[in-house]
Amino acid sequence: MGKMTDYIERAFEDDGKTSPVSPKVALLGLSKVYGALGRAKRLAYEKGVLEAKRLPAKVVAIGNLTAGGTGKTPMTLFAARWYCQKGARVVIVSRGYGGSLSKRGAVVSDGDVVFLSPHEAGDEPVMMAEQLPGVPVVIGSDRVAAGMEACDRFRPDVVILDDAYQHIRLARDLNILLADASRPFGNGHVLPRGPLREPLSALSWADAVVLTRAGDGAAGDFLSHLSGELKSRAAALPVFASSHRVSLSDGAGTPMTPDALGPAFLFSGIAKNHAFEEGARALGVSIAGSRFFGDHHPYTEAEITALEAQARDCGASVLLTTDKDRVKVRTMTTMPLATISVSIDFGEDLSAVTSLLDTLLRP
């Protein structure tokens, strides 16, 4: 199974062309079936065959078209904090990926107390609950049921759906699509031949696009990945450029400098581990060694013990990880544990982004 997973992940990175004798032909066939199902689902809602359920609150959906990390969590944190600053009551609804209670649904936090562990709720919901005092977090793979639970319990003005672009059974008032500016659509193929969760035609459901890890001219580069009718549709969308800002803190969340950190051993289990390592290097961290795992990795105590032994052998004095990983391992570590946090920075597009968010608060 591991070799097949590695093969599929490598297929994501190629140019999308497939030789007639390549095993990727089978992946391409599955992609076409998967893509057709995605188009049929969207079409059923467009034609009124299926009707999206509406919550008694304004709903913002934040998601992407590709599998893997595009910065959805930093965007969700940004939006939640902005709405709170405006005096709105906010609740976050997340699937709770990897959590044992995801299927049943549960309240992770009431805004004051975090009730569940990462094992129960998933790593990202717990991380968000801890970083957003005053903002309840609810999980559930059934977003409609989780959204109704959130509204019944907390009476929010705004519900933010984390990673929900494909969950169209729940109506939304603002649909924000995130895309990695360096390669927004991968090789252009739908899973499993490529990283797209659904065909590019789903782009037309977005109200705005946020390009993450973007530089100058990112909006034009984004359009260059499209063609024909899709390009004309996308040209009418607001496209905002953003960058990720990284910061360093100790186990208690106190900011610190790389010099105060000392030689660090890096480990993480996120979609783009290389981005975490690049962030550490950009901060000037002295990296003694590293070990990386798959996204949402469920660490065991044995793994952490082995990891710490490897870190000491490398001469590291501290473990360095992500916020998402920290909530899972902090009770297992004996070495000092520090984190790199990621926030989203809109630069010149900040006022335009907040103006978009503000449309939900206007009468």
Side-chain angles (χ1 to χ4, degrees):
M1 184 66 180
K3 290 183 179 179
M4 175 58 71
T5 300
D6 290 343
Y7 182 83
I8 292 174
E9 288 179 350
R10 288 196 300 272
F12 283 6
E13 299 301 322
D14 68 20
D15 61 6
K17 297 177 181 178
T18 299
S19 164
V21 295
S22 170
K24 294 174 186 175
V25 169
L27 297 180
L28 183 59
L30 291 172
S31 292
K32 291 186 180 298
V33 173
Y34 190 80
L37 292 173
R39 280 191 293 269
K41 178 182 176 182
R42 294 271 184 188
L43 186 62
Y45 280 94
E46 286 178 355
K47 299 298 185 183
V49 177
L50 298 175
E51 183 178 358
K53 306 298 182 182
R54 185 160 289 280
L55 298 180
K58 297 292 186 179
V59 176
V60 182
I62 294 171
N64 57 12
L65 282 180
T66 57
T70 54
K72 295 183 296 295
T73 301
M75 181 66 209
T76 299
L77 292 170
F78 173 88
R81 288 176 177 134
W82 187 86
Y83 281 120
C84 286
Q85 289 169 2
K86 289 293 182 178
R89 296 187 302 275
V90 180
V91 175
I92 290 175
V93 172
S94 173
R95 174 186 170 187
Y97 182 85
S100 62
L101 299 180
S102 174
K103 186 174 181 179
R104 190 182 81 186
V107 175
V108 181
S109 164
D110 62 1
D112 294 318
V113 179
V114 179
F115 303 112
L116 303 180
S117 68
H119 171 74
E120 295 167 315
D123 44 28
E124 288 172 349
V126 171
M127 183 196 80
M128 289 189 290
E130 293 184 350
Q131 293 191 14
L132 293 169
V135 177
V137 178
V138 178
I139 61 165
S141 55
D142 183 337
R143 302 299 180 91
V144 174
M148 289 305 300
E149 172 74 5
C151 290
D152 289 344
R153 287 281 298 272
F154 303 110
R155 306 295 179 186
D157 301 305
V158 177
V159 172
I160 300 178
L161 302 179
D162 174 51
D163 192 11
Y165 196 78
Q166 284 72 41
H167 294 270
I168 57 177
R169 194 164 70 90
L170 185 54
R172 64 282 315 271
D173 301 281
L174 187 58
N175 221 13
I176 300 176
L177 176 67
L178 272 62
D180 190 317
S182 62
R183 206 176 186 205
F185 309 121
N187 60 14
H189 284 299
V190 176
L191 291 164
R193 179 62 182 87
L196 288 173
R197 294 176 172 186
E198 56 184 328
L200 285 178
S201 57
L203 181 68
S204 63
W205 283 55
D207 294 304
V209 176
V210 170
L211 298 177
T212 59
R213 304 183 180 94
D216 295 336
D221 291 340
F222 171 74
L223 291 175
S224 72
H225 286 271
L226 302 170
S227 60
E229 183 183 354
L230 276 177
K231 181 176 287 189
S232 64
R233 290 186 200 173
L237 283 174
V239 179
F240 307 115
S242 71
S243 58
H244 283 174
R245 293 287 179 259
V246 292
S247 58
L248 192 62
S249 62
D250 64 15
T254 304
M256 63 188 309
T257 65
D259 290 340
L261 182 71
F265 187 89
L266 275 60
F267 75 97
S268 61
I270 58 175
K272 293 186 177 179
N273 289 310
H274 66 276
F276 166 63
E277 185 174 15
E278 289 168 3
R281 294 188 186 283
L283 286 170
V285 171
S286 173
I287 301 174
S290 61
R291 184 180 176 188
F292 300 113
F293 302 84
D295 196 15
H296 299 285
H297 182 72
Y299 297 95
T300 65
E301 291 194 10
E303 283 177 330
I304 297 302
T305 299
L307 189 147
E308 289 187 326
Q310 185 180 352
R312 293 188 181 98
D313 289 343
C314 291
S317 58
V318 62
L319 300 176
L320 182 61
T321 191
T322 69
D323 281 330
K324 190 171 79 169
D325 292 295
R326 180 187 65 84
V327 299
K328 291 185 288 189
V329 306
R330 58 191 169 191
T331 61
M332 304 180 192
T333 56
T334 59
M335 289 181 67
L337 181 66
T339 61
I340 287 182
S341 301
V342 177
S343 59
I344 195 165
D345 185 345
F346 287 102
E348 295 179 353
D349 284 343
L350 177 61
S351 61
V353 172
T354 57
S355 179
L356 176 74
L357 296 177
D358 192 45
T359 57
L360 266 63
L361 302 181
R362 297 171 192 165

